[in-house]
Amino acid sequence: MKRGKGMKFVGDSRIPAREHRMNNTPKDYSEYPGKTEAFFPNYLLKEWLVGAVFLIGFLCLTVAHPAPLEQPADPNATGYIPVPDWFFLFLYQLLKYPAAAGNLTILGTVVIPGLAFGALLLAPWLDKGPERRLSKRPIATGMMLLGFMSVAYLTWEAGDQHEWGGAASIDDDVREIDTSHQGYDMYVEESCISCHGDNMEGTAMGPDLYDLGYDAEGIAQIAVEGIGEMPPIYDLEDGSEEELLILAEYVLEEGSSEEGAETDDEESEEGAEEENGEDAEEDEEADA
């Protein structure tokens, strides 16, 4: 290149012309009235409007009918049966059937859900027809209906079989007991709390200790000898009979309801009045 001539760029003829590129000019949809439209902004705006209406309706529903809350989590409440969220209830119900539980749990957790969701994912490739009517797409329509009906039925059955009111009413049945009493320390020390609960409300390991049909001596005897599937929990060689009686009286006192206590008091008062009446009659006869 000589001085003063400048620099020239020469195009390479081996590079093909870029005629294959798509034109950025929007397509004219006037040829298909009512069948198609521009994605932005026409179609996208409709989707946003529908989503906004659904979201506002859902928020109003949650405000009008808030989700019911149960009692705080208690690690000692071993009898409580938790359930998953509503959108997993159909899988939860599936595991209750013998064909998908026990040694066949892998079928209910991996194989059956994998086949079901895999079939739904493959539906667009199994039915490539251009038709939009459901009646003319039998494969895709049948798979969607089968999946919807299965999920709806299993969800309904899971909700119908679960005891929803049992968990909500646990707090109503639990009585508050005196935890500052010496008997409560023995109740915890002898591991009674692990089977009968913090407030003697009972667990899956043992029944509640409310309104027992035993007196203090009967409860003490059960603690030493056991009853049914309950093993002995108190050893007289390591403890004294006085401490055992304190524990028995504490369980009897805290486990008895106020109504039962009032009834016992009334019965004792009636018994005392009858005894006083009998004594008075005997005195009158002696005087006579």
Side-chain angles (χ1 to χ4, degrees):
M1 184 177 66
K2 296 182 180 181
R3 180 176 298 187
K5 293 296 182 180
M7 183 179 296
K8 295 181 179 180
F9 293 93
V10 179
D12 192 348
S13 60
R14 293 173 297 178
I15 300 178
R18 300 182 178 178
E19 297 178 355
H20 63 283
R21 286 191 174 183
M22 296 180 61
N23 190 4
N24 292 329
T25 305
K27 293 182 179 181
D28 184 13
Y29 294 98
S30 60
E31 300 178 4
Y32 310 97
K35 293 185 178 181
T36 183
E37 59 183 343
F39 176 76
F40 182 84
N42 300 357
Y43 179 79
L44 196 58
L45 181 60
K46 292 180 181 179
E47 293 293 318
W48 285 346
L49 289 176
V50 173
V53 171
F54 176 80
L55 179 60
I56 293 174
F58 185 76
L59 292 176
C60 294
L61 181 62
T62 56
V63 172
H65 301 280
L69 299 179
E70 299 178 356
Q71 73 280 359
D74 184 6
N76 294 316
T78 56
Y80 176 71
I81 302 177
V83 292
D85 292 322
W86 64 269
F87 43 83
F88 284 129
L89 282 178
F90 69 100
L91 293 175
Y92 171 75
Q93 180 65 24
L94 182 63
L95 296 177
K96 295 182 181 179
Y97 298 117
N103 297 329
L104 302 176
T105 305
I106 190 67
L107 292 178
T109 55
V110 178
V111 177
I112 296 178
L115 291 176
F117 288 103
L120 293 178
L121 291 175
L122 294 176
W125 287 272
L126 296 177
D127 187 358
K128 299 181 180 179
E131 294 291 339
R132 301 180 64 180
R133 296 181 181 179
L134 298 179
S135 59
K136 294 186 177 182
R137 303 189 66 177
I139 298 179
T141 303
M143 295 175 65
M144 290 299 299
L145 288 177
L146 180 61
F148 176 78
M149 293 173 61
S150 300
V151 171
Y153 173 75
L154 291 175
T155 302
W156 172 82
E157 192 172 11
D160 184 64
Q161 293 181 2
H162 184 68
E163 185 65 27
W164 297 100
S169 62
I170 289 179
D171 286 342
D172 299 335
D173 299 333
V174 175
R175 305 172 186 171
E176 294 294 334
I177 64 176
D178 185 9
T179 58
S180 61
H181 195 277
Q182 180 184 359
Y184 181 79
D185 297 335
M186 300 180 61
Y187 179 78
V188 176
E189 182 179 355
E190 301 299 334
S191 301
C192 303
I193 190 173
S194 60
C195 295
H196 299 288
D198 290 343
N199 293 288
M200 302 183 185
E201 72 277 13
T203 65
M205 301 294 294
D208 63 79
L209 300 180
Y210 299 151
D211 301 327
L212 296 175
Y214 301 94
D215 56 7
E217 295 180 356
I219 296 175
Q221 182 178 0
I222 294 175
V224 174
E225 300 178 359
I227 184 174
E229 298 181 357
M230 174 183 170
I233 62 169
Y234 193 86
D235 190 357
L236 290 175
E237 296 180 358
D238 298 334
S240 62
E241 294 184 358
E242 296 179 357
E243 293 179 348
L244 176 60
L245 187 59
I246 292 175
L247 174 61
E249 291 178 350
Y250 174 77
V251 172
L252 180 63
E253 179 181 356
E254 297 297 331
S256 61
S257 62
E258 296 180 357
E259 296 179 357
E262 293 176 357
T263 304
D264 294 340
D265 294 339
E266 293 177 357
E267 291 178 354
S268 61
E269 291 177 358
E270 293 177 358
E273 291 177 357
E274 292 178 357
E275 291 179 357
N276 293 332
E278 292 177 356
D279 294 340
E281 292 178 357
E282 292 178 356
D283 292 340
E284 291 178 358
E285 292 177 356
D287 294 338

